[in-house]
Amino acid sequence: MLDLEGQGVRKAFISGLGGYVPEKVLTNYDLEKMVDTSDEWIRERTGIAERRIASKDCATSDLAIEASRMAIERASLKPQQIDLIICATVTPDNFFPSTACQIQKALGNNTAAAFDLSAACSGFIYGLSIANLFVCSGAYDHILLIGAETLSKVTDWEDRSTCVLFGDGAGAVVVSPAKGESSILSVHIFSDGQFSDCLEIPGGGSRNPCTHDSIDKRLHYIRMKGNETFKIAVKSLVNASVAALEHNKISAGQIDLFISHQANDRIIQAAAQRLNVPAEKVVINLDRFGNTSAASIPIALWDIERQGKLARGAMVLLAAFGGGLTWGSALIRW
Ligand SMILES: CC(C)(COP(=O)(O)OP(=O)(O)OC[C@H]1O[C@@H](n2cnc3c(N)ncnc32)[C@H](O)[C@@H]1OP(=O)(O)O)[C@@H](O)C(=O)NCCC(=O)NCCS
């Protein structure tokens, strides 16, 4: 990681935060009517009780735009003051143009640079590393970073091992030059392509272009090796978190909030336990939103902020893992 400490460079902080989830709630009881599953199995194995589902005509950018408007307003900025827009997503509106460009259009901004970022469920942390370095370097002043997904559109609703896990939503932050104590203290990102087939959408790209055959084989839906992913997930969340703690020379006891990617309650609890982070500091909202991939961390931030649980000055540890495989962490003095 590029170490900017003590080099006289400016720091960055999160100046605005927003989130948005679709209105439609899909409960475990609803899923019982769709596949051979039960509320009890889903709660016990994942911690999920319900998730939000976008309507048929709602694309990822539609959710992202709502979250972005809120984040920009909370940063006391006008959309035109945003210099760069990064949208982390695995469910873009189209292959191209980017979802970030669609968001830019809706915001009425025509001066920013805009691009999408593909790092699956670690996308927000990857985006934060870019936004942080761009602001610290002085290249940009105000960066809109969004994690947004409509995973319901790529979920195989006949596959009980995956369809119970995912949900739709968007979270957004504005990253700006730090003025006071609040700042992004570190961001670490990692990947290992060896495990690329643990979690994937095999069809629809250049490897298996969309054909009648690929559709019949359901290749355009998410496929996952659940057990393998589970084991690697715990290890990578712990390793990424330790990298943040060691880099900042702090102990887990100094963390006020641990916000992990919201994939599975058992994964998060196992990681927190290994890190010695007490249960009351662990943020869980997957019971209400499921796994929203790149959106899960910014949605969790927005969710606890609106509940009054995210105080300025709090030491917040973010950690994520996802397809790729990718993983990473960020330490923030909120
Ligand atoms: C998917 C996951 C919840 C499955 O839990 P698990 O405890 O590993 O369960 P298994 O896959 O071993 O399956 C156990 C049994 O439950 C069954 N099962 C799977 N999904 C089920 C469902 N929705 N309802 C009921 N039974 C189900 C399996 O068919 C299997 O049955 P069998 O023993 O008769 O073969 C878990 O592996 C997981 O969370 N993995 C990580 C996933 C993840 O985080 N992905 C996102 C990364 S960003």
Side-chain angles (χ1 to χ4, degrees), residues 95 201-210 219:
F95 272 155
I201 297 179
S206 61
R207 178 68 62 198
N208 295 303
C210 191
L219 298 184

Side-chain angles (χ1 to χ4, degrees), residues 85-248:
I85 301 170
I86 307 170
C87 182
T89 185
V90 290
T91 47
D93 290 19
N94 311 82
F95 272 155
F96 75 89
S98 68
T99 303
C101 280
Q102 310 277 13
I103 297 164
Q104 179 182 31
K105 180 170 136 190
L107 291 175
N109 171 306
N110 60 1
T111 49
F115 63 89
D116 286 358
L117 188 157
S118 170
C121 304
S122 311
F124 181 77
I125 300 288
Y126 268 64
L128 198 60
S129 79
I130 298 171
N132 184 39
L133 287 175
F134 265 139
V135 168
C136 290
S137 73
Y140 293 112
D141 281 335
H142 302 295
I143 299 178
L144 174 64
L145 168 63
I146 310 127
E149 304 283 8
T150 46
L151 292 169
S152 62
K153 314 267 180 169
V154 293
T155 295
D156 186 344
W157 292 104
E158 292 179 12
D159 175 9
R160 69 175 182 173
S161 70
T162 55
C163 77
V164 301
L165 304 175
F166 303 110
D168 300 336
V173 297
V174 178
V175 179
S176 305
K179 293 177 209 139
E181 287 300 298
S182 299
S183 70
I184 298 167
L185 299 172
S186 67
V187 190
H188 290 80
I189 54 174
F190 309 91
S191 61
D192 189 345
Q194 269 189 81
F195 301 103
S196 55
D197 62 350
C198 275
L199 195 53
E200 60 175 347
I201 297 179
S206 61
R207 178 68 62 198
N208 295 303
C210 191
T211 60
H212 288 291
D213 185 51
S214 78
I215 302 273
D216 289 345
K217 288 180 177 155
R218 309 181 83 74
L219 298 184
H220 54 299
Y221 291 132
I222 297 173
R223 291 208 184 158
M224 187 178 69
K225 293 180 181 167
N227 284 321
E228 256 176 76
T229 310
F230 193 105
K231 283 177 211 144
I232 304 169
V234 175
K235 210 160 74 179
S236 43
L237 282 177
V238 171
N239 289 349
S241 300
V242 168
L245 298 176
E246 285 182 352
H247 178 87
N248 292 285

Side-chain angles (χ1 to χ4, degrees), residues 24 53-59 62 152-153:
K24 184 182 155 66
I53 302 292
S55 62
K56 221 173 176 183
D57 58 352
C58 172
D62 298 323
S152 62
K153 314 267 180 169

